[in-house]
Amino acid sequence: PGPRMDSLPEAVLIRILASIPAVDLVLVCRLVCCQWKNLVDGAALWILKCQQEGLTGAESEENAENWQNFYFLSKKRKNLIKNPCGEEDLQHWGEVENGGDGWKIEELPGDFGKEFPSEDVHKYFVTSYEWCRKAQVIDLRAEGYWEELMDTSQPKIVVKDWYAGRSDAGCLYELCVKLLSENEDVLAEYRSETIAIPQDNDASWTEISHTFSNYGPGVRFVRFEHGGQDTLFWKGWYGVRVTNSWVTVEP
């Protein structure tokens, strides 16, 4: 008979374990014995998995828990906003306020507009002559971010949005993002100023962003809301344009 697994050098065993899917490592392999548990809970295994899968960015001085979390967060990294560019009309956007003639989706660049910096974005939402607002609530647990991770590691939550005006009309824009508890109490909040774009602007797209960190335990939802209107009160859709909204949980 060949050598037993527990007689293998630790470096060899780590390489074998690194070939196993991460979820199985945590839910199955770490229950086999104390040695395997220590390896799965240690840094070396996750450093190797990160290297093998091209996941970079974690600092070498980070502890074992951070390396494991870094791996899982890197694999799960995605935009949690659904329908960020209006490709599905207003689907997934709730709590809609349709002031004036309401929200409308238009093709880029639009009248008196400019192309978006990324060729991947083809549409935008546009507001009218009274306030238009729309919101989306992200359930972090439903997206796979477990409670212990959010409460203990408190990974960064990065929020981004893009806005622009027409070159022939002035407009207003606002962004408000809240981190909510299980009972939807507000645990942290970012609220932009009311941004005024003057008439005769250059119609260029501007990114606005905010990073939540050290926000404390209990965050279970992210509520993203943005909106605006035109300042000339022209019938139709001369207000602020928004697209490519983002919410990501970062390692």
Side-chain angles (χ1 to χ4, degrees), residues 43-237:
L45 173 59
W46 298 101
I47 290 172
L48 180 57
K49 284 190 75 66
C50 286
Q51 292 172 342
Q52 289 177 339
E53 299 185 34
L55 305 177
T56 59
E59 299 297 332
S60 59
E61 64 266 25
E62 287 190 309
N63 62 33
E65 181 184 10
N66 283 345
W67 273 105
Q68 187 179 125
N69 286 343
F70 174 82
Y71 176 87
F72 279 106
L73 288 169
S74 297
K75 295 291 284 186
K76 295 178 75 65
R77 184 189 295 165
K78 65 175 182 177
N79 186 9
L80 300 177
I81 291 286
K82 296 178 175 62
N83 187 27
C85 304
E87 294 291 348
E88 302 172 74
D89 197 49
L90 282 167
Q91 284 191 47
H92 306 294
W93 292 98
E95 304 178 54
V96 174
E97 182 177 345
N98 281 306
D101 288 322
W103 286 97
K104 184 183 179 185
I105 291 89
E106 295 181 345
E107 298 274 351
L108 279 158
D111 293 339
F112 294 89
K114 282 189 176 178
E115 290 288 358
F116 193 76
S118 169
E119 295 181 356
D120 295 331
V121 178
H122 305 288
K123 295 183 179 181
Y124 58 84
F125 304 91
V126 59
T127 59
S128 191
Y129 59 86
E130 291 179 352
W131 272 96
C132 298
R133 292 182 175 89
K134 59 186 176 69
Q136 200 167 132
V137 177
I138 298 163
D139 184 336
L140 293 171
R141 284 176 300 190
E143 295 291 345
Y145 299 98
W146 56 99
E147 294 181 5
E148 183 182 0
L149 173 73
M150 299 307 301
D151 292 347
T152 304
S153 298
Q154 296 174 34
K156 293 177 182 178
I157 299 174
V158 179
V159 177
K160 299 179 182 180
D161 201 22
W162 288 81
Y163 64 90
R166 295 169 53 117
S167 62
D168 63 341
C171 59
L172 303 175
Y173 166 82
E174 288 182 358
L175 171 66
C176 179
V177 184
K178 299 177 181 179
L179 306 187
L180 306 178
S181 70
E182 178 75 33
N183 298 321
E184 299 192 5
D185 298 319
V186 179
L187 302 181
E189 179 177 353
Y190 168 74
R191 186 181 295 271
S192 74
E193 62 181 349
T194 300
I195 298 170
I197 300 175
Q199 190 175 10
D200 300 321
N201 66 89
D202 65 1
S204 61
W205 286 93
T206 300
E207 183 184 50
I208 184 171
S209 65
H210 177 75
T211 299
F212 291 96
S213 59
N214 301 317
Y215 39 76
V219 172
R220 300 293 178 264
F221 302 95
V222 179
R223 185 182 185 279
F224 180 104
E225 178 186 302
H226 62 181
Q229 67 172 92
D230 80 45
T231 53
L232 301 174
F233 304 100
W234 289 347
K235 182 172 177 59
W237 296 273

Side-chain angles (χ1 to χ4, degrees), residues 28-39:
V28 179
C29 294
R30 72 187 301 273
L31 305 179
V32 171
C33 62
C34 289
Q35 183 192 21
W36 285 32
K37 178 181 182 298
N38 290 335
L39 292 178

